[in-house]
Amino acid sequence: MEKSLLQRLPETPPEISEWKQPKVHRDAHVQYAYCFYPVPFRLIGQQLWLRATDTTIRIYREHELVATHPRLFQHGAASTVADHMPPEAQAWQSQDIQWCLCMAQAIGPHCYGVVHQLFADRVLVNLRTVQNILRLRDKNSPQRLEAACARALRFSNPCYGAISQILKKGLDQEPLSPITTESGSTYTSGGRFLCDSATLFH
């Protein structure tokens, strides 16, 4: 008798899901299972609902669906949606490697030399550093940035910290001292090719 009441199983198995309540980080991402998913930046700081299945992440603000992403599994992986970023972050995102090279070339050969040297090392790791260096033109001027890059290259220190300090101290407007040709150890003070930080910032 009970057998006659049984129904066929559904052709599609039920979707198993897990619900969490993550808080939106300052970078407009929420974290689930060591992965990061973006939401609209207007939701920064808010507590949202996250529904995770084997294939999909859905994020809700109360009953409103605000974001849907494919499920990530690699530890530390992050999904990115440009429209979810604040305007200033969208601007950073558009400043890719080719943009940086073109901008540096427009500023001058020494600025291009700094950028080219950084990209020759580790492109993706140094991209943000290059963006920060090029951004110094906004606080100063392209001419001053070019002069600061020339000084940094002279002393084999093409990094953001050195270039920023050169501009801060106004050393880009000082004439570069001639490179010493005195003999000595390359790795100690007075060596032929050594340019230490004391000389760089004075």
Side-chain angles (χ1 to χ4, degrees):
M1 183 175 178
E2 293 178 354
K3 184 177 180 180
S4 62
L5 298 176
L6 295 177
Q7 298 182 4
R8 295 181 58 184
L9 292 173
E11 295 182 3
T12 304
E15 189 176 49
I16 300 174
S17 63
E18 181 181 25
W19 288 87
K20 294 288 185 180
Q21 265 193 301
K23 186 176 182 179
V24 183
H25 298 177
R26 288 187 297 176
D27 61 358
H29 284 68
V30 296
Q31 181 180 349
Y32 174 76
Y34 303 105
C35 295
F36 300 89
Y37 303 91
V39 298
F41 70 92
R42 60 184 171 83
L43 301 175
I44 290 174
Q46 296 189 29
Q47 201 92 22
L48 304 179
W49 281 101
L50 181 149
R51 181 175 182 261
T53 69
D54 289 339
T55 59
T56 308
I57 297 291
R58 292 183 177 88
I59 304 168
Y60 299 84
R61 180 181 178 272
E62 296 180 351
H63 300 291
E64 175 193 5
L65 178 65
V66 296
T68 302
H69 303 286
R71 174 84 180 266
L72 302 174
F73 292 95
Q74 184 177 354
H75 193 289
S79 178
T80 300
V81 176
D83 290 343
H84 288 172
M85 299 178 180
E88 60 273 17
Q90 292 183 31
W92 280 102
Q93 190 74 9
S94 66
Q95 296 174 4
D96 59 9
I97 297 167
Q98 192 59 44
W99 183 94
C100 290
L101 288 170
C102 290
M103 179 58 66
Q105 194 168 29
I107 291 173
H110 296 103
C111 184
Y112 182 82
V114 167
V115 171
H116 188 271
Q117 188 167 327
L118 287 169
F119 280 162
D121 184 12
R122 292 180 295 175
V123 174
L124 295 180
V125 172
N126 288 328
L127 178 58
R128 180 53 62 90
T129 298
V130 168
Q131 291 172 336
N132 285 330
I133 289 173
L134 294 175
R135 198 178 184 185
L136 290 171
R137 77 190 188 281
D138 298 330
K139 290 185 178 180
N140 303 278
S141 69
Q143 294 76 19
R144 289 196 62 194
L145 177 56
E146 169 68 4
C149 288
R151 190 178 188 91
L153 285 173
R154 166 72 71 85
F155 294 97
S156 301
N157 198 7
C159 65
Y160 174 81
I163 295 171
S164 178
Q165 284 298 309
I166 290 169
L167 290 166
K168 184 177 180 180
K169 295 184 177 183
L171 298 175
D172 56 290
Q173 302 176 64
E174 298 291 332
L176 281 170
S177 57
I179 299 176
T180 179
T181 57
E182 295 178 2
S183 61
S185 171
T186 304
Y187 303 103
T188 59
S189 178
R192 181 176 180 182
F193 300 108
L194 180 69
C195 300
D196 58 24
S197 59
T199 307
L200 173 63
F201 298 124
H202 292 85

